[in-house]
Amino acid sequence: MTKLFCGNELFISEVLRLGVREVLDSRISNLKVIKELCPEAQTVYIKPPAWDYIPDLVQWADVSFNTELETLQRISDEAVRQDKVHKVIIMIEMGDLREGVMRSDLAEFYSQVFGLPHLEVIGIGTNLNCLSGVMPSEDKLIQLGLYKTILELQNEVKIPWVSAGTTVTIPLLKYGQLPASVNHFRVGEALYFGADLFEGQTFDGMHDDVLELHAQVIELSEKPMTPSGPLGKNPFGVTAQSDYEQGATAYRAILDVGYLDVSPQYLILEDEALGVLDASSDMLVLDAGANHAGLKVGDHVCFKLKYMGLALDELGLYRQGGSQRCRRAPRRAKGHGPRLSRSP
């Protein structure tokens, strides 16, 4: 799964070099980049598509996840126009309350989709943990496999995929608790961060520092630790509070990165002598204490990233108006701001 990289050719090329022949993403513009880099790769759009993007969906995605009959009818019509067969995975609601056809409606839903021209239902799937935090279990995933069997028997068809292998299910696979029927995986966080979401740690043999953020110091000065003057709400609606004694000072390092780039709560400082104080839209403020780290203006501070830090903000790569398009923010296009890099 490559949605973290928002169509960045450098990082997508690295993924493709692993020998990957199926790539999943949540932005059609990203799938376009993937197809242009590797036309033989199977591209999978991992959420129900908005109607506005169906022509692009059919052009750039070989497979899509779906839950609405009228949407599938429109995809079918577009596939006829483009003379393509579009593959479909029907998502089923299994308790997390995000996308998914209700289980009681599944048989009727499938029977209506089955006859649509230029569509091929190649799988069923489910999402767990991403919204309500419902954890996968062996019982839930066995149920999912049973729905596949029921649909196959009722309609005399074969449904090759059961798509439920996500990062949160990897521990079930590791300990032999993942049902054999689950045979399609869409993994991001475990792949790029080595994350074991059951244990809250990193899988043995994997790394959590494959991607780093390097942000440059643009000011370094010893300043009071307590604001002075009447306090109102800042642009985020928060009134500053301080636990420091009046008159306490420390070096503050201001970095060329802010909330427009990444939320500070998802940054992990590699230098324990530094601490994150807060951020504004374009600047991050660090507590450098007595500056034993020896920071200077122009130095770069290195952060490891939590998954959502990259997934939500994409480090200067942003989504325009909620559409499927991603581009570099104009401020970053001039060559300034944070750098996302691969660790050696």
Side-chain angles (χ1 to χ4, degrees):
M1 195 153 60
T2 58
K3 66 181 181 180
L4 291 180
F5 301 137
C6 204
N8 184 290
E9 291 188 12
L10 172 64
F11 291 102
I12 289 174
S13 295
E14 288 296 310
V15 173
L16 293 171
R17 282 178 57 190
L18 298 174
V20 172
R21 286 297 172 262
E22 179 184 271
V23 186
L24 302 90
D25 210 296
S26 59
R27 293 292 180 268
I28 295 171
S29 57
N30 300 353
L31 295 180
K32 178 177 183 291
V33 172
I34 293 161
K35 273 296 187 187
E36 289 172 343
L37 288 172
C38 186
E40 64 272 22
Q42 179 161 268
T43 49
V44 183
Y45 187 68
I46 57 172
K47 64 180 183 180
W51 290 358
D52 290 348
Y53 306 120
I54 286 176
D56 288 339
L57 172 83
V58 174
Q59 182 176 3
W60 300 111
D62 300 310
V63 186
S64 62
F65 290 5
N66 281 274
T67 60
E68 290 288 339
L69 181 60
E70 188 168 353
T71 298
L72 284 161
Q73 289 171 333
R74 290 169 179 257
I75 294 173
S76 171
D77 292 342
E78 183 61 35
V80 170
R81 279 191 287 272
Q82 294 191 28
D83 192 25
K84 290 185 174 181
V85 174
H86 186 79
K87 300 172 185 176
V88 170
I89 294 176
I90 297 173
M91 297 298 283
I92 302 172
E93 176 56 60
M94 297 292 290
D96 201 52
L97 301 180
R98 205 179 71 175
E99 83 282 11
V101 177
M102 294 301 292
R103 284 168 275 181
S104 58
D105 300 330
L106 181 59
E108 182 180 355
F109 183 90
Y110 182 87
S111 67
Q112 294 181 75
V113 174
F114 183 60
L116 292 175
H118 285 239
L119 290 189
E120 180 186 358
V121 178
I122 62 167
I124 61 171
T126 196
N127 174 76
L128 293 168
N129 189 248
C130 287
L131 184 65
S132 301
V134 174
M135 299 299 282
S137 66
E138 189 173 8
D139 287 345
K140 272 191 181 294
L141 299 178
I142 286 173
Q143 289 177 39
L144 187 65
L146 289 174
Y147 287 121
K148 167 187 178 293
T149 301
I150 290 169
L151 291 175
E152 288 179 330
L153 292 174
Q154 286 179 337
N155 298 277
E156 298 182 346
V157 296
K158 286 294 183 184
I159 301 174
W161 291 359
V162 174
S163 182
T166 62
T167 286
V168 76
T169 65
I170 296 297
L172 296 180
L173 178 64
K174 179 180 177 181
Y175 296 113
Q177 297 173 345
L178 191 69
S181 59
V182 176
N183 59 2
H184 186 252
F185 291 77
R186 45 189 204 270
V187 177
E189 189 168 0
L191 178 62
Y192 304 119
F193 294 88
D196 180 341
L197 299 184
F198 269 79
E199 300 294 336
Q201 59 190 24
T202 303
F203 284 115
D204 291 342
M206 300 193 75
H207 298 269
D208 62 358
D209 60 352
V210 173
L211 296 166
E212 296 176 338
L213 171 65
H214 296 257
Q216 195 166 43
V217 179
I218 57 176
E219 179 187 304
L220 181 70
S221 182
E222 188 174 7
K223 294 186 178 183
M225 294 301 290
T226 303
S228 59
L231 295 178
K233 292 183 178 179
N234 66 17
F236 299 97
V238 176
T239 301
Q241 296 182 349
S242 176
D243 296 327
Y244 296 97
E245 293 182 5
Q246 197 70 31
T249 66
Y251 280 89
R252 287 190 166 211
I254 300 179
L255 307 186
D256 186 26
V257 59
Y259 273 102
L260 290 179
D261 307 294
V262 63
S263 178
Q265 66 180 308
Y266 302 123
L267 295 175
I268 303 170
L269 274 160
E270 294 199 342
D271 189 336
E272 295 181 357
L274 305 174
V276 174
L277 289 172
D278 208 343
S280 62
S281 58
D282 294 292
M283 287 178 271
L284 178 71
V285 182
L286 301 185
D287 177 4
N291 196 24
H292 294 307
L295 283 179
K296 305 182 299 297
V297 173
D299 286 349
H300 284 87
V301 177
C302 181
F303 299 87
K304 291 194 295 186
L305 294 154
K306 297 181 182 179
Y307 174 77
M308 292 307 297
L310 196 57
L312 288 178
D313 300 287
E314 294 163 328
L315 300 168
L317 299 169
Y318 75 101
R319 304 181 185 106
Q320 187 177 26
S323 76
Q324 309 304 312
R325 307 182 188 281
C326 297
R327 63 184 178 91
R328 291 193 180 277
R331 187 171 62 86
R332 303 301 172 214
K334 296 178 181 178
H336 303 298
R339 298 195 312 243
L340 179 63
S341 71
R342 294 164 292 170
S343 297

